[in-house]
Amino acid sequence: MATSQSPTEPTPIDHLSSLPDALLVTILSFLPTEIAARTSVLSRRFQHLWKASPAVDLAFHKFKFQSFEAVASGALLSRQPSNPLLRLHLNVTSLIYSTFISSLLTHAHSLGLRRLTLNGDILQADDEDIQSIVRTVFFISSLESLSISLDAFSIVLPSATSLTHLKSLFITPPVISAQVVRLLLELCCLDHLRLSELIQSSAAMVNLSSSTVKRLELFAICPFGQETCSVGLLMPSLEFLFLSQRSSWPLPCIRADIPLLRKSVIKLPLLRHRHVTAVAQLLNSITHVEELSLDLNESEGYPFCNLLEPGKEAPVFPNLKHLDAHMCFHELNFEAAVSLLCRSPALQSLKLVHKDADEFTLWTREKRKMYDWRSKLPRNVNGNR
């Protein structure tokens, strides 16, 4: 039913059309490309505006190939160097059309691409298709940020690269440690490195060396066919270290030369008694920190000290100002924590949270007296620990 506008009502104003093209393009750059492309039906002005966005976000699984090809061609392949591309996100679920994906990456290189995110589930893909795309990626010399998050069994890093301007590198698929060591020697501007799964291929110590990296995140180190592994960190500029380990894998023994380290986050989900030496070695390697966060879960049928080797003294933390520790504060861990606090003269804030052991430990508790596991922390003002 048609309605007439009251004479007293103000005339609607089209604020969107009053915005300059540059601002509209910026707004469209925050949308996935498939959504931004839909604005082409709004008016003649919007018909090609989405193609000027400096960011392209393409999800292969949301299109049939013909539709994906049409959107990718309009957003990327038809773009001229006068309209540079700053960010590209490719979500691929199949590498059947790996040649087309490689052509997208090659053209993005010619447009001065700076930030690339490549992710997707390609477990069924052919190894040669995967490596073809990886080789193309590592020769985009304009890249400043690269994130590869592919659900693949592993990827092989190329023996040479053109990533001379790369500042941030995130790799989720498993990679061989020797390839990472070689790659770090070539990345002269790298500031932030995140590795999800580092495969140690030999019994020798793996030495990760970089004079520029300031943030390092290691999520898992897998010693291929070994019970133990050693990792050396020679990173004189490192300021932040995150370390986590998968529960079923051995904890690496880390020896580090990181004098500028200021903050460290350590998460170890299932500690065994055999890991104590590695934990103690790790703490001795990060004594320069000002902020330390520990999240430890022990998994034995009996309580043991997580922080110190038997008969050894706690390391001195001369600069430690903030300590946040989540662990089972039974008597052995409580005494170790007190010893550590006595060797932290600059401490300003402290947060200790008692955590019960995992289900396996709870199941085996009946073999020992329950008070062996009780928290020795005093209760806080809310009556909890």
Side-chain angles (χ1 to χ4, degrees):
M1 181 180 297
T3 59
S4 59
Q5 183 177 341
S6 171
T8 59
E9 292 181 2
T11 302
I13 301 176
D14 183 3
H15 293 285
L16 192 61
S17 297
S18 64
L19 298 178
D21 285 355
L23 182 54
L24 290 174
V25 169
T26 300
I27 294 173
L28 292 175
S29 70
F30 292 101
L31 299 175
T33 300
E34 61 165 321
I35 303 299
R38 296 177 187 175
T39 63
S40 61
V41 302
L42 294 178
S43 66
R44 290 183 178 179
R45 181 188 181 193
F46 277 87
Q47 188 173 2
H48 300 289
L49 204 58
W50 65 278
K51 298 179 182 179
S53 171
V56 173
D57 185 342
L58 296 172
F60 188 90
H61 65 279
K62 295 184 179 181
F63 300 91
K64 293 182 179 179
F65 177 70
Q66 289 77 10
S67 301
F68 178 84
E69 185 179 27
V71 174
S73 298
L76 188 54
L77 294 181
S78 62
R79 187 184 297 245
Q80 300 299 317
S82 58
N83 184 16
L85 180 66
L86 302 183
R87 302 192 307 273
L88 174 61
H89 178 196
L90 282 178
N91 189 327
V92 295
T93 55
S94 173
L95 295 186
I96 298 176
Y97 305 103
S98 59
T99 302
F100 180 71
I101 295 174
S102 294
S103 69
L104 293 179
L105 294 170
T106 300
H107 191 67
H109 183 191
S110 68
L111 298 172
L113 181 64
R114 296 183 186 178
R115 299 179 61 183
L116 172 63
T117 299
L118 183 65
N119 60 9
D121 182 357
I122 56 172
L123 287 174
Q124 304 302 321
D126 184 82
D127 287 344
E128 182 56 36
D129 290 335
I130 296 175
Q131 295 311 131
S132 174
I133 290 178
V134 170
R135 286 193 295 268
T136 302
V137 167
F138 275 81
F139 279 90
I140 303 179
S141 58
S142 57
L143 280 181
E144 296 179 0
S145 175
L146 172 60
S147 176
I148 301 177
S149 182
L150 298 173
D151 291 332
F153 292 111
S154 66
I155 62 172
V156 178
L157 301 181
S159 57
T161 178
S162 300
L163 302 178
T164 56
H165 297 92
L166 194 69
K167 299 178 180 179
S168 177
L169 175 62
F170 302 164
I171 301 180
T172 297
V175 289
I176 302 297
S177 58
Q179 299 172 7
V180 176
V181 171
R182 183 181 64 241
L183 179 64
L184 288 178
L185 297 177
E186 299 187 37
L187 302 180
C188 56
C189 296
L190 193 63
D191 178 85
H192 188 183
L193 174 63
R194 178 191 294 171
L195 299 174
S196 180
E197 191 170 321
L198 188 64
I199 301 176
Q200 186 171 344
S201 56
S202 66
M205 174 183 286
V206 175
N207 289 300
L208 299 180
S209 176
S210 172
S211 61
T212 60
V213 171
K214 295 182 179 180
R215 293 178 60 88
L216 175 64
E217 300 175 55
L218 295 175
F219 285 85
I221 300 174
C222 173
F224 185 74
Q226 305 168 53
E227 289 298 323
T228 60
C229 59
S230 299
V231 177
L233 299 179
L234 181 58
M235 297 184 173
S237 301
L238 192 66
E239 299 176 358
F240 174 82
L241 172 65
F242 176 93
L243 177 65
S244 180
Q245 188 72 356
R246 291 185 177 177
S247 57
S248 59
W249 291 356
L251 183 65
C253 184
I254 294 182
R255 302 178 182 275
D257 182 8
I258 41 180
L260 297 183
L261 188 68
R262 293 296 173 259
K263 183 175 181 179
S264 183
V265 177
I266 311 297
K267 294 186 177 182
L268 305 176
L270 289 178
L271 279 176
R272 299 285 189 174
H273 192 271
R274 64 177 183 269
H275 296 150
V276 172
T277 299
V279 174
Q281 180 63 54
L282 175 60
L283 292 178
N284 278 284
S285 298
I286 59 174
T287 54
H288 298 287
V289 292
E290 295 181 358
E291 298 181 45
L292 176 60
S293 177
L294 299 172
D295 191 345
L296 312 178
N297 290 331
E298 59 185 273
S299 180
E300 291 283 11
Y302 55 89
F304 63 94
C305 181
N306 301 171
L307 301 175
L308 303 176
E309 292 183 89
K312 299 292 183 67
E313 293 186 349
V316 178
F317 287 84
N319 305 317
L320 186 61
K321 297 179 180 179
H322 309 285
L323 174 62
D324 185 349
H326 295 238
M327 56 193 297
C328 184
F329 280 100
H330 51 66
E331 184 173 4
L332 295 175
N333 280 339
F334 180 76
E335 292 176 355
V338 171
S339 178
L340 189 149
L341 294 178
C342 291
R343 291 175 169 268
S344 305
L347 198 64
Q348 297 177 1
S349 70
L350 175 65
K351 182 179 181 181
L352 304 179
V353 178
H354 174 73
K355 296 177 63 176
D356 282 323
D358 63 21
E359 293 182 1
F360 171 78
T361 304
L362 292 173
W363 178 74
T364 56
R365 279 186 179 185
E366 62 183 8
K367 299 180 181 180
R368 298 185 60 87
K369 296 180 180 180
M370 288 299 294
Y371 64 75
D372 286 351
W373 296 94
R374 289 187 304 176
S375 173
K376 298 300 180 180
L377 292 179
R379 294 186 182 273
N380 61 20
V381 293
N382 296 321
N384 60 56
R385 295 185 173 88

PDB file of all heavy atoms in Angstrom, residues 291-313:
ATOM      1  N   GLU A 291      57.838  -9.893  32.650  1.00  0.00           N
ATOM      2  CA  GLU A 291      56.510 -10.485  32.814  1.00  0.00           C
ATOM      3  C   GLU A 291      56.594 -11.970  32.466  1.00  0.00           C
ATOM      4  O   GLU A 291      57.085 -12.326  31.401  1.00  0.00           O
ATOM      5  CB  GLU A 291      55.474  -9.809  31.915  1.00  0.00           C
ATOM      6  CG  GLU A 291      55.257  -8.342  32.197  1.00  0.00           C
ATOM      7  CD  GLU A 291      54.198  -7.742  31.288  1.00  0.00           C
ATOM      8  OE1 GLU A 291      53.137  -8.383  31.113  1.00  0.00           O
ATOM      9  OE2 GLU A 291      54.443  -6.659  30.742  1.00  0.00           O
ATOM     10  N   LEU A 292      56.075 -12.803  33.370  1.00  0.00           N
ATOM     11  CA  LEU A 292      56.123 -14.244  33.156  1.00  0.00           C
ATOM     12  C   LEU A 292      54.765 -14.858  33.475  1.00  0.00           C
ATOM     13  O   LEU A 292      54.202 -14.628  34.550  1.00  0.00           O
ATOM     14  CB  LEU A 292      57.200 -14.886  34.042  1.00  0.00           C
ATOM     15  CG  LEU A 292      57.310 -16.420  33.993  1.00  0.00           C
ATOM     16  CD1 LEU A 292      57.617 -16.890  32.574  1.00  0.00           C
ATOM     17  CD2 LEU A 292      58.379 -16.914  34.964  1.00  0.00           C
ATOM     18  N   SER A 293      54.232 -15.627  32.510  1.00  0.00           N
ATOM     19  CA  SER A 293      52.961 -16.323  32.690  1.00  0.00           C
ATOM     20  C   SER A 293      53.197 -17.815  32.513  1.00  0.00           C
ATOM     21  O   SER A 293      53.712 -18.248  31.484  1.00  0.00           O
ATOM     22  CB  SER A 293      51.924 -15.812  31.682  1.00  0.00           C
ATOM     23  OG  SER A 293      50.716 -16.531  31.796  1.00  0.00           O
ATOM     24  N   LEU A 294      52.818 -18.601  33.534  1.00  0.00           N
ATOM     25  CA  LEU A 294      52.989 -20.050  33.511  1.00  0.00           C
ATOM     26  C   LEU A 294      51.632 -20.731  33.640  1.00  0.00           C
ATOM     27  O   LEU A 294      50.842 -20.387  34.529  1.00  0.00           O
ATOM     28  CB  LEU A 294      53.893 -20.516  34.658  1.00  0.00           C
ATOM     29  CG  LEU A 294      55.326 -19.980  34.687  1.00  0.00           C
ATOM     30  CD1 LEU A 294      56.017 -20.386  35.979  1.00  0.00           C
ATOM     31  CD2 LEU A 294      56.112 -20.487  33.484  1.00  0.00           C
ATOM     32  N   ASP A 295      51.372 -21.681  32.757  1.00  0.00           N
ATOM     33  CA  ASP A 295      50.147 -22.476  32.825  1.00  0.00           C
ATOM     34  C   ASP A 295      50.569 -23.934  32.682  1.00  0.00           C
ATOM     35  O   ASP A 295      50.816 -24.419  31.588  1.00  0.00           O
ATOM     36  CB  ASP A 295      49.182 -22.076  31.711  1.00  0.00           C
ATOM     37  CG  ASP A 295      47.793 -22.687  31.893  1.00  0.00           C
ATOM     38  OD1 ASP A 295      47.667 -23.628  32.692  1.00  0.00           O
ATOM     39  OD2 ASP A 295      46.856 -22.232  31.233  1.00  0.00           O
ATOM     40  N   LEU A 296      50.662 -24.637  33.834  1.00  0.00           N
ATOM     41  CA  LEU A 296      51.223 -25.977  33.872  1.00  0.00           C
ATOM     42  C   LEU A 296      50.205 -26.976  34.406  1.00  0.00           C
ATOM     43  O   LEU A 296      49.533 -26.705  35.401  1.00  0.00           O
ATOM     44  CB  LEU A 296      52.481 -26.012  34.750  1.00  0.00           C
ATOM     45  CG  LEU A 296      53.534 -24.916  34.499  1.00  0.00           C
ATOM     46  CD1 LEU A 296      54.687 -25.074  35.479  1.00  0.00           C
ATOM     47  CD2 LEU A 296      54.040 -24.960  33.062  1.00  0.00           C
ATOM     48  N   ASN A 297      50.107 -28.108  33.743  1.00  0.00           N
ATOM     49  CA  ASN A 297      49.254 -29.212  34.205  1.00  0.00           C
ATOM     50  C   ASN A 297      50.101 -30.467  34.334  1.00  0.00           C
ATOM     51  O   ASN A 297      50.650 -30.945  33.336  1.00  0.00           O
ATOM     52  CB  ASN A 297      48.109 -29.479  33.227  1.00  0.00           C
ATOM     53  CG  ASN A 297      47.078 -28.380  33.231  1.00  0.00           C
ATOM     54  OD1 ASN A 297      46.865 -27.717  34.229  1.00  0.00           O
ATOM     55  ND2 ASN A 297      46.441 -28.176  32.094  1.00  0.00           N
ATOM     56  N   GLU A 298      50.215 -31.004  35.517  1.00  0.00           N
ATOM     57  CA  GLU A 298      51.001 -32.223  35.690  1.00  0.00           C
ATOM     58  C   GLU A 298      50.113 -33.450  35.523  1.00  0.00           C
ATOM     59  O   GLU A 298      48.924 -33.423  35.835  1.00  0.00           O
ATOM     60  CB  GLU A 298      51.702 -32.233  37.037  1.00  0.00           C
ATOM     61  CG  GLU A 298      50.808 -32.140  38.253  1.00  0.00           C
ATOM     62  CD  GLU A 298      51.624 -32.033  39.519  1.00  0.00           C
ATOM     63  OE1 GLU A 298      51.990 -33.083  40.077  1.00  0.00           O
ATOM     64  OE2 GLU A 298      51.884 -30.889  39.943  1.00  0.00           O
ATOM     65  N   SER A 299      50.710 -34.514  35.033  1.00  0.00           N
ATOM     66  CA  SER A 299      49.946 -35.719  34.728  1.00  0.00           C
ATOM     67  C   SER A 299      50.732 -36.946  35.163  1.00  0.00           C
ATOM     68  O   SER A 299      51.313 -37.657  34.345  1.00  0.00           O
ATOM     69  CB  SER A 299      49.634 -35.784  33.229  1.00  0.00           C
ATOM     70  OG  SER A 299      48.906 -36.934  32.917  1.00  0.00           O
ATOM     71  N   GLU A 300      50.796 -37.155  36.447  1.00  0.00           N
ATOM     72  CA  GLU A 300      51.399 -38.352  37.024  1.00  0.00           C
ATOM     73  C   GLU A 300      50.481 -38.847  38.140  1.00  0.00           C
ATOM     74  O   GLU A 300      49.604 -38.117  38.603  1.00  0.00           O
ATOM     75  CB  GLU A 300      52.793 -38.060  37.593  1.00  0.00           C
ATOM     76  CG  GLU A 300      53.857 -37.758  36.547  1.00  0.00           C
ATOM     77  CD  GLU A 300      54.363 -39.020  35.837  1.00  0.00           C
ATOM     78  OE1 GLU A 300      53.741 -40.089  36.011  1.00  0.00           O
ATOM     79  OE2 GLU A 300      55.367 -38.921  35.105  1.00  0.00           O
ATOM     80  N   GLY A 301      50.684 -40.070  38.589  1.00  0.00           N
ATOM     81  CA  GLY A 301      49.887 -40.610  39.671  1.00  0.00           C
ATOM     82  C   GLY A 301      50.344 -40.146  41.032  1.00  0.00           C
ATOM     83  O   GLY A 301      49.817 -40.593  42.057  1.00  0.00           O
ATOM     84  N   TYR A 302      51.323 -39.244  41.045  1.00  0.00           N
ATOM     85  CA  TYR A 302      51.863 -38.728  42.308  1.00  0.00           C
ATOM     86  C   TYR A 302      52.305 -37.290  42.083  1.00  0.00           C
ATOM     87  O   TYR A 302      52.649 -36.900  40.961  1.00  0.00           O
ATOM     88  CB  TYR A 302      53.050 -39.585  42.770  1.00  0.00           C
ATOM     89  CG  TYR A 302      54.132 -39.711  41.718  1.00  0.00           C
ATOM     90  CD1 TYR A 302      55.171 -38.777  41.632  1.00  0.00           C
ATOM     91  CD2 TYR A 302      54.098 -40.746  40.793  1.00  0.00           C
ATOM     92  CE1 TYR A 302      56.143 -38.894  40.663  1.00  0.00           C
ATOM     93  CE2 TYR A 302      55.071 -40.867  39.815  1.00  0.00           C
ATOM     94  CZ  TYR A 302      56.089 -39.936  39.754  1.00  0.00           C
ATOM     95  OH  TYR A 302      57.057 -40.038  38.782  1.00  0.00           O
ATOM     96  N   PRO A 303      52.291 -36.458  43.118  1.00  0.00           N
ATOM     97  CA  PRO A 303      52.716 -35.060  42.948  1.00  0.00           C
ATOM     98  C   PRO A 303      54.231 -34.959  42.831  1.00  0.00           C
ATOM     99  O   PRO A 303      54.969 -35.720  43.460  1.00  0.00           O
ATOM    100  CB  PRO A 303      52.203 -34.377  44.226  1.00  0.00           C
ATOM    101  CG  PRO A 303      52.131 -35.464  45.232  1.00  0.00           C
ATOM    102  CD  PRO A 303      51.784 -36.723  44.479  1.00  0.00           C
ATOM    103  N   PHE A 304      54.689 -34.036  42.019  1.00  0.00           N
ATOM    104  CA  PHE A 304      56.117 -33.787  41.885  1.00  0.00           C
ATOM    105  C   PHE A 304      56.319 -32.298  41.632  1.00  0.00           C
ATOM    106  O   PHE A 304      55.398 -31.585  41.222  1.00  0.00           O
ATOM    107  CB  PHE A 304      56.727 -34.618  40.755  1.00  0.00           C
ATOM    108  CG  PHE A 304      56.200 -34.298  39.390  1.00  0.00           C
ATOM    109  CD1 PHE A 304      56.850 -33.390  38.563  1.00  0.00           C
ATOM    110  CD2 PHE A 304      55.035 -34.905  38.921  1.00  0.00           C
ATOM    111  CE1 PHE A 304      56.353 -33.088  37.309  1.00  0.00           C
ATOM    112  CE2 PHE A 304      54.536 -34.615  37.656  1.00  0.00           C
ATOM    113  CZ  PHE A 304      55.189 -33.704  36.856  1.00  0.00           C
ATOM    114  N   CYS A 305      57.511 -31.822  41.850  1.00  0.00           N
ATOM    115  CA  CYS A 305      57.817 -30.406  41.656  1.00  0.00           C
ATOM    116  C   CYS A 305      57.957 -30.112  40.167  1.00  0.00           C
ATOM    117  O   CYS A 305      58.779 -30.723  39.483  1.00  0.00           O
ATOM    118  CB  CYS A 305      59.104 -30.040  42.396  1.00  0.00           C
ATOM    119  SG  CYS A 305      59.551 -28.305  42.229  1.00  0.00           S
ATOM    120  N   ASN A 306      57.159 -29.165  39.681  1.00  0.00           N
ATOM    121  CA  ASN A 306      57.166 -28.830  38.257  1.00  0.00           C
ATOM    122  C   ASN A 306      58.262 -27.842  37.879  1.00  0.00           C
ATOM    123  O   ASN A 306      58.648 -27.765  36.709  1.00  0.00           O
ATOM    124  CB  ASN A 306      55.832 -28.219  37.843  1.00  0.00           C
ATOM    125  CG  ASN A 306      54.643 -29.125  38.096  1.00  0.00           C
ATOM    126  OD1 ASN A 306      53.510 -28.719  37.970  1.00  0.00           O
ATOM    127  ND2 ASN A 306      54.862 -30.378  38.473  1.00  0.00           N
ATOM    128  N   LEU A 307      58.728 -27.048  38.820  1.00  0.00           N
ATOM    129  CA  LEU A 307      59.563 -25.885  38.506  1.00  0.00           C
ATOM    130  C   LEU A 307      61.051 -26.105  38.705  1.00  0.00           C
ATOM    131  O   LEU A 307      61.860 -25.483  38.021  1.00  0.00           O
ATOM    132  CB  LEU A 307      59.124 -24.689  39.360  1.00  0.00           C
ATOM    133  CG  LEU A 307      57.668 -24.242  39.204  1.00  0.00           C
ATOM    134  CD1 LEU A 307      57.343 -23.140  40.199  1.00  0.00           C
ATOM    135  CD2 LEU A 307      57.413 -23.770  37.793  1.00  0.00           C
ATOM    136  N   LEU A 308      61.425 -26.973  39.629  1.00  0.00           N
ATOM    137  CA  LEU A 308      62.839 -27.117  39.989  1.00  0.00           C
ATOM    138  C   LEU A 308      63.254 -28.575  39.961  1.00  0.00           C
ATOM    139  O   LEU A 308      62.464 -29.470  40.287  1.00  0.00           O
ATOM    140  CB  LEU A 308      63.104 -26.553  41.384  1.00  0.00           C
ATOM    141  CG  LEU A 308      62.737 -25.085  41.645  1.00  0.00           C
ATOM    142  CD1 LEU A 308      62.993 -24.742  43.105  1.00  0.00           C
ATOM    143  CD2 LEU A 308      63.516 -24.172  40.725  1.00  0.00           C
ATOM    144  N   GLU A 309      64.516 -28.806  39.593  1.00  0.00           N
ATOM    145  CA  GLU A 309      65.076 -30.138  39.717  1.00  0.00           C
ATOM    146  C   GLU A 309      65.405 -30.408  41.181  1.00  0.00           C
ATOM    147  O   GLU A 309      65.775 -29.496  41.927  1.00  0.00           O
ATOM    148  CB  GLU A 309      66.341 -30.253  38.879  1.00  0.00           C
ATOM    149  CG  GLU A 309      66.113 -30.189  37.380  1.00  0.00           C
ATOM    150  CD  GLU A 309      67.400 -30.380  36.608  1.00  0.00           C
ATOM    151  OE1 GLU A 309      67.732 -31.539  36.302  1.00  0.00           O
ATOM    152  OE2 GLU A 309      68.079 -29.384  36.331  1.00  0.00           O
ATOM    153  N   PRO A 310      65.260 -31.639  41.627  1.00  0.00           N
ATOM    154  CA  PRO A 310      65.576 -31.969  43.034  1.00  0.00           C
ATOM    155  C   PRO A 310      66.997 -31.567  43.398  1.00  0.00           C
ATOM    156  O   PRO A 310      67.950 -31.847  42.665  1.00  0.00           O
ATOM    157  CB  PRO A 310      65.396 -33.494  43.081  1.00  0.00           C
ATOM    158  CG  PRO A 310      64.456 -33.800  41.952  1.00  0.00           C
ATOM    159  CD  PRO A 310      64.776 -32.807  40.879  1.00  0.00           C
ATOM    160  N   GLY A 311      67.123 -30.878  44.514  1.00  0.00           N
ATOM    161  CA  GLY A 311      68.439 -30.471  44.992  1.00  0.00           C
ATOM    162  C   GLY A 311      69.003 -29.232  44.330  1.00  0.00           C
ATOM    163  O   GLY A 311      70.099 -28.781  44.695  1.00  0.00           O
ATOM    164  N   LYS A 312      68.294 -28.659  43.370  1.00  0.00           N
ATOM    165  CA  LYS A 312      68.774 -27.460  42.677  1.00  0.00           C
ATOM    166  C   LYS A 312      68.051 -26.215  43.205  1.00  0.00           C
ATOM    167  O   LYS A 312      66.899 -26.278  43.622  1.00  0.00           O
ATOM    168  CB  LYS A 312      68.521 -27.577  41.171  1.00  0.00           C
ATOM    169  CG  LYS A 312      69.217 -28.751  40.508  1.00  0.00           C
ATOM    170  CD  LYS A 312      70.722 -28.555  40.497  1.00  0.00           C
ATOM    171  CE  LYS A 312      71.406 -29.704  39.756  1.00  0.00           C
ATOM    172  NZ  LYS A 312      71.106 -29.720  38.322  1.00  0.00           N
ATOM    173  N   GLU A 313      68.762 -25.084  43.175  1.00  0.00           N
ATOM    174  CA  GLU A 313      68.171 -23.825  43.619  1.00  0.00           C
ATOM    175  C   GLU A 313      67.386 -23.171  42.487  1.00  0.00           C
ATOM    176  O   GLU A 313      67.644 -23.411  41.304  1.00  0.00           O
ATOM    177  CB  GLU A 313      69.263 -22.863  44.103  1.00  0.00           C
ATOM    178  CG  GLU A 313      69.961 -23.313  45.375  1.00  0.00           C
ATOM    179  CD  GLU A 313      70.921 -22.257  45.889  1.00  0.00           C
ATOM    180  OE1 GLU A 313      71.174 -21.282  45.135  1.00  0.00           O
ATOM    181  OE2 GLU A 313      71.414 -22.392  47.017  1.00  0.00           O
TER     182      GLU A 313
END
